[in-house]
Amino acid sequence: MNSLIEVTVAEIKQLADVEPKQASKRFEIIANTMNDEQLVEVIENMDIVTLTQINSHHDISCPSIMSELMTPEQIRDIVCQQPLYWEEQIKSNAEELIQHTFDFLTYLIRVQENEEKQTAILECIADDPAGLFYLSIPFIELVLAPNSDDDAPMLDVFDDEDDGETVGYSDRSESEEAFSLSMDDPRSLLALIRELAPDVEKAIKNLLRNESSNWQNIINKFVNELVLQAKEKNQVTDEYAEVDDMFSFLD
């Protein structure tokens, strides 16, 4: 690693440890003085904790060039690492968790400049067991929550045949706009996944349909599984020893 890259990596990491948003802003400034190859090298030499800290402070309204330059493998690792850094309000509320995971996945996928990379990211995340758990969370309630009308059948957006009400039943080349879905609607992300990576959609469907509990208990299970796998992958020590006891909000 040459001195410029080394100094830049050290500076960004130091900022990220204190204030991730400032680290992101600094990276954007540096991006104006480096070419893409140099920026990619900077990212490659950052640890996964630093990348997770920085990317977790962005959404679709304020994209970062870092997110665009990361590889699908780096994005997968960030997704699998992030549960260790969920804020207390996210860890203690199922609805917050659904919204947070939806927002983060929407950002990481939609910020990419082409469908090929979006597809590669989805497939890479889904290939990891923890990644598939994370990828499924935004859709758990849609699939498994009971309808407000107790006598009405449960809404299942994954049905294989068109019933005229649920999303994603025409040819996969159909755009999300055909269903009048806004970007902040989880069904829109689901439609995008079905169009770009149908095998990933099937994996989500199979994972959820294999669960026999209610949607809230499934979230609780997925969250605990995500944290345990993240700890194992990163060989987390006592710093995160308390996370096993954090997820009682759905008991």
PDB file of all heavy atoms in Angstrom, residues 41-76:
ATOM      1  N   GLU A  41      -8.952   1.263  -4.016  1.00  0.00           N
ATOM      2  CA  GLU A  41      -7.867   0.742  -3.183  1.00  0.00           C
ATOM      3  C   GLU A  41      -8.025   1.198  -1.734  1.00  0.00           C
ATOM      4  O   GLU A  41      -7.764   0.439  -0.796  1.00  0.00           O
ATOM      5  CB  GLU A  41      -6.511   1.185  -3.734  1.00  0.00           C
ATOM      6  CG  GLU A  41      -5.343   0.500  -3.044  1.00  0.00           C
ATOM      7  CD  GLU A  41      -4.000   0.808  -3.702  1.00  0.00           C
ATOM      8  OE1 GLU A  41      -3.993   1.459  -4.770  1.00  0.00           O
ATOM      9  OE2 GLU A  41      -2.973   0.388  -3.135  1.00  0.00           O
ATOM     10  N   VAL A  42      -8.466   2.437  -1.554  1.00  0.00           N
ATOM     11  CA  VAL A  42      -8.729   2.929  -0.197  1.00  0.00           C
ATOM     12  C   VAL A  42      -9.797   2.067   0.468  1.00  0.00           C
ATOM     13  O   VAL A  42      -9.641   1.623   1.614  1.00  0.00           O
ATOM     14  CB  VAL A  42      -9.180   4.408  -0.224  1.00  0.00           C
ATOM     15  CG1 VAL A  42      -9.712   4.833   1.148  1.00  0.00           C
ATOM     16  CG2 VAL A  42      -8.023   5.317  -0.635  1.00  0.00           C
ATOM     17  N   ILE A  43     -10.877   1.819  -0.254  1.00  0.00           N
ATOM     18  CA  ILE A  43     -11.971   1.011   0.290  1.00  0.00           C
ATOM     19  C   ILE A  43     -11.500  -0.408   0.594  1.00  0.00           C
ATOM     20  O   ILE A  43     -11.842  -0.976   1.641  1.00  0.00           O
ATOM     21  CB  ILE A  43     -13.155   0.982  -0.701  1.00  0.00           C
ATOM     22  CG1 ILE A  43     -13.763   2.385  -0.831  1.00  0.00           C
ATOM     23  CG2 ILE A  43     -14.210  -0.025  -0.262  1.00  0.00           C
ATOM     24  CD1 ILE A  43     -14.803   2.493  -1.930  1.00  0.00           C
ATOM     25  N   GLU A  44     -10.712  -0.988  -0.296  1.00  0.00           N
ATOM     26  CA  GLU A  44     -10.233  -2.357  -0.102  1.00  0.00           C
ATOM     27  C   GLU A  44      -9.374  -2.491   1.144  1.00  0.00           C
ATOM     28  O   GLU A  44      -9.307  -3.563   1.750  1.00  0.00           O
ATOM     29  CB  GLU A  44      -9.431  -2.808  -1.325  1.00  0.00           C
ATOM     30  CG  GLU A  44     -10.290  -3.087  -2.549  1.00  0.00           C
ATOM     31  CD  GLU A  44      -9.462  -3.446  -3.766  1.00  0.00           C
ATOM     32  OE1 GLU A  44      -8.223  -3.207  -3.734  1.00  0.00           O
ATOM     33  OE2 GLU A  44     -10.038  -3.958  -4.743  1.00  0.00           O
ATOM     34  N   ASN A  45      -8.734  -1.416   1.547  1.00  0.00           N
ATOM     35  CA  ASN A  45      -7.852  -1.463   2.708  1.00  0.00           C
ATOM     36  C   ASN A  45      -8.531  -1.006   3.993  1.00  0.00           C
ATOM     37  O   ASN A  45      -7.872  -0.911   5.034  1.00  0.00           O
ATOM     38  CB  ASN A  45      -6.599  -0.615   2.451  1.00  0.00           C
ATOM     39  CG  ASN A  45      -5.611  -1.298   1.535  1.00  0.00           C
ATOM     40  OD1 ASN A  45      -4.858  -2.181   1.949  1.00  0.00           O
ATOM     41  ND2 ASN A  45      -5.630  -0.920   0.264  1.00  0.00           N
ATOM     42  N   MET A  46      -9.826  -0.732   3.928  1.00  0.00           N
ATOM     43  CA  MET A  46     -10.586  -0.413   5.131  1.00  0.00           C
ATOM     44  C   MET A  46     -11.142  -1.701   5.725  1.00  0.00           C
ATOM     45  O   MET A  46     -11.529  -2.609   4.997  1.00  0.00           O
ATOM     46  CB  MET A  46     -11.744   0.536   4.802  1.00  0.00           C
ATOM     47  CG  MET A  46     -11.326   1.955   4.510  1.00  0.00           C
ATOM     48  SD  MET A  46     -12.787   3.000   4.256  1.00  0.00           S
ATOM     49  CE  MET A  46     -11.988   4.512   3.706  1.00  0.00           C
ATOM     50  N   ASP A  47     -11.207  -1.769   7.039  1.00  0.00           N
ATOM     51  CA  ASP A  47     -11.797  -2.936   7.681  1.00  0.00           C
ATOM     52  C   ASP A  47     -13.317  -2.852   7.579  1.00  0.00           C
ATOM     53  O   ASP A  47     -13.896  -1.785   7.350  1.00  0.00           O
ATOM     54  CB  ASP A  47     -11.362  -3.029   9.141  1.00  0.00           C
ATOM     55  CG  ASP A  47     -11.749  -1.793   9.931  1.00  0.00           C
ATOM     56  OD1 ASP A  47     -12.870  -1.762  10.471  1.00  0.00           O
ATOM     57  OD2 ASP A  47     -10.934  -0.844   9.990  1.00  0.00           O
ATOM     58  N   ILE A  48     -13.967  -3.992   7.779  1.00  0.00           N
ATOM     59  CA  ILE A  48     -15.412  -4.064   7.602  1.00  0.00           C
ATOM     60  C   ILE A  48     -16.156  -3.209   8.623  1.00  0.00           C
ATOM     61  O   ILE A  48     -17.235  -2.678   8.333  1.00  0.00           O
ATOM     62  CB  ILE A  48     -15.886  -5.539   7.675  1.00  0.00           C
ATOM     63  CG1 ILE A  48     -17.353  -5.650   7.264  1.00  0.00           C
ATOM     64  CG2 ILE A  48     -15.657  -6.119   9.049  1.00  0.00           C
ATOM     65  CD1 ILE A  48     -17.638  -5.174   5.862  1.00  0.00           C
ATOM     66  N   VAL A  49     -15.583  -3.042   9.811  1.00  0.00           N
ATOM     67  CA  VAL A  49     -16.230  -2.199  10.826  1.00  0.00           C
ATOM     68  C   VAL A  49     -16.322  -0.760  10.339  1.00  0.00           C
ATOM     69  O   VAL A  49     -17.371  -0.111  10.442  1.00  0.00           O
ATOM     70  CB  VAL A  49     -15.466  -2.273  12.162  1.00  0.00           C
ATOM     71  CG1 VAL A  49     -16.008  -1.232  13.145  1.00  0.00           C
ATOM     72  CG2 VAL A  49     -15.584  -3.665  12.758  1.00  0.00           C
ATOM     73  N   THR A  50     -15.229  -0.243   9.795  1.00  0.00           N
ATOM     74  CA  THR A  50     -15.216   1.133   9.293  1.00  0.00           C
ATOM     75  C   THR A  50     -16.205   1.305   8.148  1.00  0.00           C
ATOM     76  O   THR A  50     -16.967   2.274   8.108  1.00  0.00           O
ATOM     77  CB  THR A  50     -13.800   1.521   8.822  1.00  0.00           C
ATOM     78  OG1 THR A  50     -12.892   1.417   9.916  1.00  0.00           O
ATOM     79  CG2 THR A  50     -13.788   2.949   8.287  1.00  0.00           C
ATOM     80  N   LEU A  51     -16.223   0.354   7.220  1.00  0.00           N
ATOM     81  CA  LEU A  51     -17.157   0.434   6.096  1.00  0.00           C
ATOM     82  C   LEU A  51     -18.604   0.391   6.576  1.00  0.00           C
ATOM     83  O   LEU A  51     -19.467   1.106   6.053  1.00  0.00           O
ATOM     84  CB  LEU A  51     -16.901  -0.710   5.121  1.00  0.00           C
ATOM     85  CG  LEU A  51     -15.588  -0.662   4.325  1.00  0.00           C
ATOM     86  CD1 LEU A  51     -15.416  -1.925   3.499  1.00  0.00           C
ATOM     87  CD2 LEU A  51     -15.534   0.571   3.431  1.00  0.00           C
ATOM     88  N   THR A  52     -18.868  -0.427   7.575  1.00  0.00           N
ATOM     89  CA  THR A  52     -20.230  -0.534   8.106  1.00  0.00           C
ATOM     90  C   THR A  52     -20.638   0.762   8.800  1.00  0.00           C
ATOM     91  O   THR A  52     -21.758   1.266   8.607  1.00  0.00           O
ATOM     92  CB  THR A  52     -20.331  -1.699   9.105  1.00  0.00           C
ATOM     93  OG1 THR A  52     -19.933  -2.907   8.452  1.00  0.00           O
ATOM     94  CG2 THR A  52     -21.759  -1.857   9.614  1.00  0.00           C
ATOM     95  N   GLN A  53     -19.747   1.308   9.606  1.00  0.00           N
ATOM     96  CA  GLN A  53     -20.042   2.554  10.310  1.00  0.00           C
ATOM     97  C   GLN A  53     -20.386   3.673   9.327  1.00  0.00           C
ATOM     98  O   GLN A  53     -21.352   4.419   9.529  1.00  0.00           O
ATOM     99  CB  GLN A  53     -18.840   2.971  11.166  1.00  0.00           C
ATOM    100  CG  GLN A  53     -18.610   2.088  12.374  1.00  0.00           C
ATOM    101  CD  GLN A  53     -17.289   2.397  13.052  1.00  0.00           C
ATOM    102  OE1 GLN A  53     -16.295   2.722  12.402  1.00  0.00           O
ATOM    103  NE2 GLN A  53     -17.270   2.293  14.374  1.00  0.00           N
ATOM    104  N   ILE A  54     -19.615   3.798   8.275  1.00  0.00           N
ATOM    105  CA  ILE A  54     -19.808   4.893   7.317  1.00  0.00           C
ATOM    106  C   ILE A  54     -21.090   4.696   6.508  1.00  0.00           C
ATOM    107  O   ILE A  54     -21.916   5.605   6.393  1.00  0.00           O
ATOM    108  CB  ILE A  54     -18.595   5.004   6.378  1.00  0.00           C
ATOM    109  CG1 ILE A  54     -17.355   5.444   7.174  1.00  0.00           C
ATOM    110  CG2 ILE A  54     -18.877   5.996   5.247  1.00  0.00           C
ATOM    111  CD1 ILE A  54     -16.074   5.446   6.356  1.00  0.00           C
ATOM    112  N   ASN A  55     -21.289   3.512   5.960  1.00  0.00           N
ATOM    113  CA  ASN A  55     -22.435   3.291   5.080  1.00  0.00           C
ATOM    114  C   ASN A  55     -23.760   3.269   5.820  1.00  0.00           C
ATOM    115  O   ASN A  55     -24.807   3.528   5.226  1.00  0.00           O
ATOM    116  CB  ASN A  55     -22.238   2.001   4.292  1.00  0.00           C
ATOM    117  CG  ASN A  55     -21.273   2.168   3.148  1.00  0.00           C
ATOM    118  OD1 ASN A  55     -21.643   2.586   2.058  1.00  0.00           O
ATOM    119  ND2 ASN A  55     -20.003   1.861   3.388  1.00  0.00           N
ATOM    120  N   SER A  56     -23.732   2.975   7.094  1.00  0.00           N
ATOM    121  CA  SER A  56     -24.969   2.940   7.869  1.00  0.00           C
ATOM    122  C   SER A  56     -25.546   4.322   8.101  1.00  0.00           C
ATOM    123  O   SER A  56     -26.680   4.450   8.577  1.00  0.00           O
ATOM    124  CB  SER A  56     -24.718   2.250   9.217  1.00  0.00           C
ATOM    125  OG  SER A  56     -24.405   0.891   9.026  1.00  0.00           O
ATOM    126  N   HIS A  57     -24.811   5.362   7.770  1.00  0.00           N
ATOM    127  CA  HIS A  57     -25.287   6.730   7.983  1.00  0.00           C
ATOM    128  C   HIS A  57     -25.705   7.398   6.675  1.00  0.00           C
ATOM    129  O   HIS A  57     -25.694   8.619   6.558  1.00  0.00           O
ATOM    130  CB  HIS A  57     -24.213   7.559   8.690  1.00  0.00           C
ATOM    131  CG  HIS A  57     -24.052   7.203  10.136  1.00  0.00           C
ATOM    132  ND1 HIS A  57     -23.329   6.107  10.546  1.00  0.00           N
ATOM    133  CD2 HIS A  57     -24.543   7.780  11.265  1.00  0.00           C
ATOM    134  CE1 HIS A  57     -23.363   6.028  11.871  1.00  0.00           C
ATOM    135  NE2 HIS A  57     -24.089   7.014  12.324  1.00  0.00           N
ATOM    136  N   HIS A  58     -26.060   6.582   5.702  1.00  0.00           N
ATOM    137  CA  HIS A  58     -26.539   7.116   4.425  1.00  0.00           C
ATOM    138  C   HIS A  58     -27.898   6.517   4.097  1.00  0.00           C
ATOM    139  O   HIS A  58     -28.243   5.429   4.554  1.00  0.00           O
ATOM    140  CB  HIS A  58     -25.559   6.803   3.297  1.00  0.00           C
ATOM    141  CG  HIS A  58     -24.356   7.687   3.280  1.00  0.00           C
ATOM    142  ND1 HIS A  58     -24.381   8.966   2.792  1.00  0.00           N
ATOM    143  CD2 HIS A  58     -23.099   7.473   3.724  1.00  0.00           C
ATOM    144  CE1 HIS A  58     -23.176   9.505   2.915  1.00  0.00           C
ATOM    145  NE2 HIS A  58     -22.384   8.625   3.477  1.00  0.00           N
ATOM    146  N   ASP A  59     -28.655   7.240   3.292  1.00  0.00           N
ATOM    147  CA  ASP A  59     -29.884   6.693   2.732  1.00  0.00           C
ATOM    148  C   ASP A  59     -29.986   7.164   1.295  1.00  0.00           C
ATOM    149  O   ASP A  59     -29.102   7.840   0.784  1.00  0.00           O
ATOM    150  CB  ASP A  59     -31.118   7.080   3.563  1.00  0.00           C
ATOM    151  CG  ASP A  59     -31.286   8.584   3.682  1.00  0.00           C
ATOM    152  OD1 ASP A  59     -31.000   9.306   2.695  1.00  0.00           O
ATOM    153  OD2 ASP A  59     -31.708   9.050   4.752  1.00  0.00           O
ATOM    154  N   ILE A  60     -31.078   6.802   0.655  1.00  0.00           N
ATOM    155  CA  ILE A  60     -31.209   7.062  -0.778  1.00  0.00           C
ATOM    156  C   ILE A  60     -31.222   8.557  -1.093  1.00  0.00           C
ATOM    157  O   ILE A  60     -30.926   8.979  -2.207  1.00  0.00           O
ATOM    158  CB  ILE A  60     -32.492   6.383  -1.325  1.00  0.00           C
ATOM    159  CG1 ILE A  60     -32.404   6.216  -2.841  1.00  0.00           C
ATOM    160  CG2 ILE A  60     -33.739   7.118  -0.891  1.00  0.00           C
ATOM    161  CD1 ILE A  60     -31.345   5.254  -3.299  1.00  0.00           C
ATOM    162  N   SER A  61     -31.534   9.388  -0.093  1.00  0.00           N
ATOM    163  CA  SER A  61     -31.570  10.832  -0.325  1.00  0.00           C
ATOM    164  C   SER A  61     -30.186  11.466  -0.289  1.00  0.00           C
ATOM    165  O   SER A  61     -30.011  12.593  -0.742  1.00  0.00           O
ATOM    166  CB  SER A  61     -32.473  11.512   0.721  1.00  0.00           C
ATOM    167  OG  SER A  61     -31.908  11.395   2.009  1.00  0.00           O
ATOM    168  N   CYS A  62     -29.192  10.749   0.262  1.00  0.00           N
ATOM    169  CA  CYS A  62     -27.826  11.306   0.316  1.00  0.00           C
ATOM    170  C   CYS A  62     -26.821  10.199   0.015  1.00  0.00           C
ATOM    171  O   CYS A  62     -26.093   9.750   0.898  1.00  0.00           O
ATOM    172  CB  CYS A  62     -27.553  11.958   1.661  1.00  0.00           C
ATOM    173  SG  CYS A  62     -27.767  10.872   3.094  1.00  0.00           S
ATOM    174  N   PRO A  63     -26.798   9.725  -1.219  1.00  0.00           N
ATOM    175  CA  PRO A  63     -25.899   8.621  -1.570  1.00  0.00           C
ATOM    176  C   PRO A  63     -24.431   8.999  -1.456  1.00  0.00           C
ATOM    177  O   PRO A  63     -24.062  10.165  -1.579  1.00  0.00           O
ATOM    178  CB  PRO A  63     -26.282   8.315  -3.021  1.00  0.00           C
ATOM    179  CG  PRO A  63     -26.864   9.590  -3.539  1.00  0.00           C
ATOM    180  CD  PRO A  63     -27.574  10.194  -2.369  1.00  0.00           C
ATOM    181  N   SER A  64     -23.612   8.006  -1.224  1.00  0.00           N
ATOM    182  CA  SER A  64     -22.167   8.188  -1.120  1.00  0.00           C
ATOM    183  C   SER A  64     -21.484   7.461  -2.262  1.00  0.00           C
ATOM    184  O   SER A  64     -21.892   6.361  -2.646  1.00  0.00           O
ATOM    185  CB  SER A  64     -21.658   7.649   0.214  1.00  0.00           C
ATOM    186  OG  SER A  64     -20.247   7.551   0.215  1.00  0.00           O
ATOM    187  N   ILE A  65     -20.437   8.061  -2.778  1.00  0.00           N
ATOM    188  CA  ILE A  65     -19.675   7.410  -3.846  1.00  0.00           C
ATOM    189  C   ILE A  65     -19.054   6.124  -3.343  1.00  0.00           C
ATOM    190  O   ILE A  65     -18.803   5.187  -4.113  1.00  0.00           O
ATOM    191  CB  ILE A  65     -18.600   8.366  -4.416  1.00  0.00           C
ATOM    192  CG1 ILE A  65     -17.981   7.759  -5.688  1.00  0.00           C
ATOM    193  CG2 ILE A  65     -17.531   8.679  -3.376  1.00  0.00           C
ATOM    194  CD1 ILE A  65     -17.030   8.681  -6.395  1.00  0.00           C
ATOM    195  N   MET A  66     -18.806   6.032  -2.034  1.00  0.00           N
ATOM    196  CA  MET A  66     -18.237   4.807  -1.473  1.00  0.00           C
ATOM    197  C   MET A  66     -19.145   3.620  -1.749  1.00  0.00           C
ATOM    198  O   MET A  66     -18.680   2.540  -2.116  1.00  0.00           O
ATOM    199  CB  MET A  66     -18.013   4.962   0.034  1.00  0.00           C
ATOM    200  CG  MET A  66     -17.453   3.709   0.693  1.00  0.00           C
ATOM    201  SD  MET A  66     -17.236   3.880   2.479  1.00  0.00           S
ATOM    202  CE  MET A  66     -15.823   4.968   2.523  1.00  0.00           C
ATOM    203  N   SER A  67     -20.439   3.804  -1.565  1.00  0.00           N
ATOM    204  CA  SER A  67     -21.388   2.711  -1.782  1.00  0.00           C
ATOM    205  C   SER A  67     -21.392   2.253  -3.232  1.00  0.00           C
ATOM    206  O   SER A  67     -21.573   1.070  -3.523  1.00  0.00           O
ATOM    207  CB  SER A  67     -22.793   3.154  -1.369  1.00  0.00           C
ATOM    208  OG  SER A  67     -22.801   3.608  -0.038  1.00  0.00           O
ATOM    209  N   GLU A  68     -21.186   3.185  -4.147  1.00  0.00           N
ATOM    210  CA  GLU A  68     -21.166   2.840  -5.563  1.00  0.00           C
ATOM    211  C   GLU A  68     -19.902   2.081  -5.949  1.00  0.00           C
ATOM    212  O   GLU A  68     -19.925   1.273  -6.871  1.00  0.00           O
ATOM    213  CB  GLU A  68     -21.277   4.111  -6.407  1.00  0.00           C
ATOM    214  CG  GLU A  68     -22.564   4.895  -6.195  1.00  0.00           C
ATOM    215  CD  GLU A  68     -22.568   6.181  -7.005  1.00  0.00           C
ATOM    216  OE1 GLU A  68     -22.188   6.138  -8.190  1.00  0.00           O
ATOM    217  OE2 GLU A  68     -22.938   7.230  -6.451  1.00  0.00           O
ATOM    218  N   LEU A  69     -18.806   2.338  -5.240  1.00  0.00           N
ATOM    219  CA  LEU A  69     -17.521   1.734  -5.588  1.00  0.00           C
ATOM    220  C   LEU A  69     -17.269   0.401  -4.898  1.00  0.00           C
ATOM    221  O   LEU A  69     -16.381  -0.346  -5.306  1.00  0.00           O
ATOM    222  CB  LEU A  69     -16.376   2.700  -5.246  1.00  0.00           C
ATOM    223  CG  LEU A  69     -16.315   3.983  -6.073  1.00  0.00           C
ATOM    224  CD1 LEU A  69     -15.243   4.912  -5.524  1.00  0.00           C
ATOM    225  CD2 LEU A  69     -16.045   3.677  -7.542  1.00  0.00           C
ATOM    226  N   MET A  70     -18.043   0.081  -3.882  1.00  0.00           N
ATOM    227  CA  MET A  70     -17.840  -1.175  -3.167  1.00  0.00           C
ATOM    228  C   MET A  70     -18.248  -2.366  -4.028  1.00  0.00           C
ATOM    229  O   MET A  70     -19.149  -2.264  -4.861  1.00  0.00           O
ATOM    230  CB  MET A  70     -18.628  -1.182  -1.863  1.00  0.00           C
ATOM    231  CG  MET A  70     -18.048  -0.277  -0.793  1.00  0.00           C
ATOM    232  SD  MET A  70     -18.836  -0.525   0.818  1.00  0.00           S
ATOM    233  CE  MET A  70     -20.550  -0.228   0.413  1.00  0.00           C
ATOM    234  N   THR A  71     -17.604  -3.479  -3.809  1.00  0.00           N
ATOM    235  CA  THR A  71     -17.944  -4.705  -4.518  1.00  0.00           C
ATOM    236  C   THR A  71     -19.184  -5.349  -3.882  1.00  0.00           C
ATOM    237  O   THR A  71     -19.516  -5.066  -2.725  1.00  0.00           O
ATOM    238  CB  THR A  71     -16.789  -5.711  -4.462  1.00  0.00           C
ATOM    239  OG1 THR A  71     -16.598  -6.126  -3.093  1.00  0.00           O
ATOM    240  CG2 THR A  71     -15.497  -5.087  -4.992  1.00  0.00           C
ATOM    241  N   PRO A  72     -19.858  -6.245  -4.611  1.00  0.00           N
ATOM    242  CA  PRO A  72     -20.981  -6.973  -4.004  1.00  0.00           C
ATOM    243  C   PRO A  72     -20.574  -7.720  -2.737  1.00  0.00           C
ATOM    244  O   PRO A  72     -21.348  -7.811  -1.780  1.00  0.00           O
ATOM    245  CB  PRO A  72     -21.412  -7.933  -5.111  1.00  0.00           C
ATOM    246  CG  PRO A  72     -21.053  -7.218  -6.376  1.00  0.00           C
ATOM    247  CD  PRO A  72     -19.752  -6.516  -6.060  1.00  0.00           C
ATOM    248  N   GLU A  73     -19.351  -8.243  -2.703  1.00  0.00           N
ATOM    249  CA  GLU A  73     -18.874  -8.973  -1.532  1.00  0.00           C
ATOM    250  C   GLU A  73     -18.718  -8.041  -0.333  1.00  0.00           C
ATOM    251  O   GLU A  73     -19.053  -8.418   0.803  1.00  0.00           O
ATOM    252  CB  GLU A  73     -17.546  -9.667  -1.837  1.00  0.00           C
ATOM    253  CG  GLU A  73     -17.638 -10.822  -2.801  1.00  0.00           C
ATOM    254  CD  GLU A  73     -17.818 -10.384  -4.257  1.00  0.00           C
ATOM    255  OE1 GLU A  73     -17.519  -9.212  -4.574  1.00  0.00           O
ATOM    256  OE2 GLU A  73     -18.261 -11.220  -5.081  1.00  0.00           O
ATOM    257  N   GLN A  74     -18.219  -6.838  -0.571  1.00  0.00           N
ATOM    258  CA  GLN A  74     -18.091  -5.877   0.525  1.00  0.00           C
ATOM    259  C   GLN A  74     -19.465  -5.444   1.039  1.00  0.00           C
ATOM    260  O   GLN A  74     -19.663  -5.308   2.253  1.00  0.00           O
ATOM    261  CB  GLN A  74     -17.294  -4.656   0.042  1.00  0.00           C
ATOM    262  CG  GLN A  74     -15.811  -4.944  -0.156  1.00  0.00           C
ATOM    263  CD  GLN A  74     -15.087  -3.839  -0.922  1.00  0.00           C
ATOM    264  OE1 GLN A  74     -15.684  -3.170  -1.784  1.00  0.00           O
ATOM    265  NE2 GLN A  74     -13.820  -3.643  -0.628  1.00  0.00           N
ATOM    266  N   ILE A  75     -20.401  -5.260   0.133  1.00  0.00           N
ATOM    267  CA  ILE A  75     -21.762  -4.886   0.544  1.00  0.00           C
ATOM    268  C   ILE A  75     -22.405  -6.017   1.330  1.00  0.00           C
ATOM    269  O   ILE A  75     -23.070  -5.786   2.347  1.00  0.00           O
ATOM    270  CB  ILE A  75     -22.595  -4.500  -0.689  1.00  0.00           C
ATOM    271  CG1 ILE A  75     -22.060  -3.186  -1.280  1.00  0.00           C
ATOM    272  CG2 ILE A  75     -24.078  -4.362  -0.323  1.00  0.00           C
ATOM    273  CD1 ILE A  75     -22.698  -2.773  -2.577  1.00  0.00           C
ATOM    274  N   ARG A  76     -22.203  -7.239   0.892  1.00  0.00           N
ATOM    275  CA  ARG A  76     -22.716  -8.392   1.655  1.00  0.00           C
ATOM    276  C   ARG A  76     -22.154  -8.400   3.069  1.00  0.00           C
ATOM    277  O   ARG A  76     -22.887  -8.606   4.053  1.00  0.00           O
ATOM    278  CB  ARG A  76     -22.332  -9.684   0.948  1.00  0.00           C
ATOM    279  CG  ARG A  76     -22.664 -10.957   1.734  1.00  0.00           C
ATOM    280  CD  ARG A  76     -21.780 -12.100   1.291  1.00  0.00           C
ATOM    281  NE  ARG A  76     -20.374 -11.798   1.536  1.00  0.00           N
ATOM    282  CZ  ARG A  76     -19.365 -12.352   0.863  1.00  0.00           C
ATOM    283  NH1 ARG A  76     -19.602 -13.217  -0.106  1.00  0.00           N
ATOM    284  NH2 ARG A  76     -18.112 -12.028   1.151  1.00  0.00           N
TER     285      ARG A  76
END
